[in-house]
Amino acid sequence: MTRPGKVVIVGGSSAGLATAEALRRQGYEGALTVLDAERHLPYDRPPLSKQVLTGAWEPSRTQLRSQQQLASLDAEFLRAAPAVICDAGERAVTTATGRVVRGDALVIATGLRPRTLPDQDELAGVHVLRTFDDAVALRRDLAAGRRLVVVGEGVLGAEIAASARGMGVEVTLAGFGSVLMGTQIGAMMGGLLTRLHTERGVDLRLGVAVEALAASGGGRVCGVRLSSGELLPADVVVVAIGARPATEWLEGSGLTLGDGVECDAYCRAAPGVYAVGDAASWHHEGLGRRLRLENRTNATEQAQTVAANLLGAERPYTPTPYFWTDQYDAKLQVHGLPAPAAETHIAEGDPAQGRFVAVYRENGGVTGVLGWNMPKQARLLRQKHLATPRGGKPAATVRSAP
Ligand SMILES: Cc1cc2nc3c(=O)[nH]c(=O)nc-3n(C[C@H](O)[C@H](O)[C@H](O)COP(=O)(O)OP(=O)(O)OC[C@H]3O[C@@H](n4cnc5c(N)ncnc54)[C@H](O)[C@@H]3O)c2cc1C
């Protein structure tokens, strides 16, 4: 591919911004337009469920770059400008206000939208947590002594429960799985995490489905009804039941949409069209299968490859997946793809001391390494076992909140 004269990036958060920066760093001097539905300057999402929710950080601290740093990119930034139509063949997008932006190359970086329960938008006191505004609204609604019900036992639900306990909130967490984060870290590690939450005072209802949200006369949520018949009283509810790729605006674009924007090994969805970050599903040559990752490190790493390929490199993207989560005083760092069914053993340290590394094996090979307050040792075992990702049948989405 010849170098594009103009690149249009749709979605200007972690992955979109990293792509713009990587293009400039790799010597791209052409025109660059970045459009985003957000009205805020680009911000980082991981602190939203941790430092912002607990109040340890002012929300503004999540801003990824200063105005000056953004200006130095010599790009046109269109904010509060959601793309609503895409013509992939023309590499053109139309915004909600009817403006058409055309490029020689197009990068899709629109991330995810949270899944919701029926009718939740009608009720006050029911939240999701994806954006800056979501975090500010949830923090405002929580106060010591209030009763929070978190729906969803995945990583996001678990983080919110931990942060809310830190604020003195009464927390009940209800989820379908039998342990916290079971789909991401398996039964053994999920069991340890579940125990940690119980010790810290979270009231757990696991292995149950949520049937409905209950409302008071005033249109505010007052509880969550479970399939067991139990009604969990609540002043505030957070629904953290996963998210789906934000690709509705690409319907009819000519691109293939499955679980995300389907790309080849080079993150290319069509000639001159690439996808990056949470919204991208690509063929991982090392694993020999399609993958879509929902984690912060992937947003940055994939952007480097997409930028290089936009400039003609033809480089397949073959990362070793990685995500972290912070809950109470535990930092979990997960390398590779630890399938829920993988055999798990403690390779170093001791769970009783709250510091250890677990190794996941499947089909005779190591597929994942989990460090629990042991970052260095986990990294060394990752280098030893996961330099080239191995196969098996890991979950397609590493960081999700089912
Ligand atoms: C609360 C929270 C905590 C997290 N914690 C961790 C963590 O501890 N560790 C970890 O590894 N990962 C974590 N993650 C995941 C990580 O933040 C994401 O993987 C990362 O943000 C993905 O970046 P992205 O740019 O692909 O998508 P996003 O960050 O979602 O950005 C997509 C951007 O596209 C914009 N957009 C959407 N649709 C359109 C449209 N039609 N037109 C224009 N713009 C559009 C959006 O407004 C948004 O700005 C967390 C995520 C959340 C929400």
Side-chain angles (χ1 to χ4, degrees), residues 10-16 35-38 45-46 48-50 81-84 109-113 129-130 156 159 246 248-249 276-279 294-297 299 322-326 399:
V10 185
S13 187
S14 310
L35 52 109
D36 199 294
E38 266 285 353
R45 285 174 215 275
L48 297 180
S49 50
K50 310 172 187 74
V84 291
T110 45
L112 305 176
R113 295 205 204 295
L129 179 48
R130 181 77 197 168
L156 185 58
E159 283 185 357
E248 69 294 330
W249 64 283
V276 60
D278 286 6
E294 295 180 6
N295 66 61
R296 185 62 183 81
T297 304
Y322 167 76
F323 77 91
W324 81 93
T325 173
D326 300 321
R399 188 182 203 282

Side-chain angles (χ1 to χ4, degrees), residues 174-177 205-210 226-228:
F176 206 58
R205 298 288 186 286
L206 295 172
V208 292
V210 164
L226 304 179
S227 52
S228 58

Side-chain angles (χ1 to χ4, degrees), residues 38-370:
E38 266 285 353
R39 62 190 174 94
H40 298 291
L41 290 177
Y43 57 85
D44 209 13
R45 285 174 215 275
L48 297 180
S49 50
K50 310 172 187 74
Q51 295 90 339
V52 172
L53 203 54
T54 59
W57 284 16
E58 280 302 313
S60 57
R61 205 171 144 187
T62 57
Q63 195 175 309
L64 282 169
R65 301 289 179 267
S66 66
Q67 288 273 20
Q68 208 181 0
Q69 287 168 321
L70 292 174
S72 71
L73 278 177
D74 190 19
E76 177 190 27
F77 285 97
L78 303 177
R79 308 212 68 75
V84 291
I85 300 172
C86 173
D87 182 335
E90 292 291 316
R91 292 175 293 277
V93 298
T94 307
T95 69
T97 56
R99 177 166 170 185
V100 179
V101 186
R102 208 178 294 273
D104 302 306
L106 184 62
V107 179
I108 295 157
T110 45
L112 305 176
R113 295 205 204 295
R115 290 180 198 277
T116 53
L117 293 172
D119 303 330
Q120 80 171 61
D121 294 342
E122 328 282 286
L123 288 180
V126 185
H127 297 258
V128 293
L129 179 48
R130 181 77 197 168
T131 66
F132 183 97
D133 289 344
D134 292 341
V136 171
L138 176 58
R139 163 121 189 114
R140 204 184 300 127
D141 222 3
L142 289 177
R146 295 205 88 176
R147 293 163 307 175
L148 168 69
V149 173
V150 178
V151 180
E153 83 289 2
V155 57
L156 185 58
E159 283 185 357
I160 293 167
S163 297
R165 283 302 298 143
M167 297 168 68
V169 172
E170 283 180 38
V171 181
T172 305
L173 185 149
F176 206 58
S178 55
V179 293
L180 295 179
M181 285 181 65
T183 39
Q184 288 105 9
I185 58 174
M188 184 178 167
M189 293 299 113
L192 292 176
L193 189 68
T194 303
R195 198 163 75 201
L196 177 66
H197 277 260
T198 307
E199 285 165 3
R200 299 303 172 101
V202 177
D203 197 3
L204 292 167
R205 298 288 186 286
L206 295 172
V208 292
V210 164
E211 290 224 310
L213 297 169
S216 66
R220 188 173 174 98
V221 74
C222 67
V224 173
R225 186 168 301 285
L226 304 179
S227 52
S228 58
E230 188 181 9
L231 178 71
L232 302 173
D235 304 307
V236 182
V237 172
V238 182
V239 177
I241 53 174
R244 56 170 66 92
T247 54
E248 69 294 330
W249 64 283
L250 293 167
E251 298 290 341
S253 63
L255 299 175
T256 306
L257 306 175
D259 175 34
V261 181
E262 293 200 353
C263 300
D264 63 13
Y266 309 96
C267 310
R268 188 169 41 215
V273 182
Y274 292 77
V276 60
D278 286 6
S281 155
W282 87 103
H283 180 77
H284 189 303
E285 281 191 351
L287 295 169
R289 67 182 185 85
R290 186 163 285 290
L291 198 64
R292 185 175 67 75
L293 298 175
E294 295 180 6
N295 66 61
R296 185 62 183 81
T297 304
N298 178 64
T300 310
E301 289 182 346
Q302 195 168 21
Q304 314 308 312
T305 302
V306 165
N309 290 342
L310 274 164
L311 302 178
E314 291 289 305
R315 185 188 300 163
Y317 182 53
T318 56
T320 299
Y322 167 76
F323 77 91
W324 81 93
T325 173
D326 300 321
Q327 297 171 35
Y328 311 105
D329 46 7
K331 180 181 260 313
L332 276 62
Q333 295 170 302
V334 183
H335 305 267
L337 292 168
E343 191 191 308
T344 313
H345 79 275
I346 307 296
E348 277 195 55
D350 180 1
Q353 305 294 323
R355 291 184 74 238
F356 63 93
V357 183
V359 168
Y360 296 74
R361 286 180 185 278
E362 218 191 5
N363 301 330
V366 173
T367 54
V369 171
L370 179 149

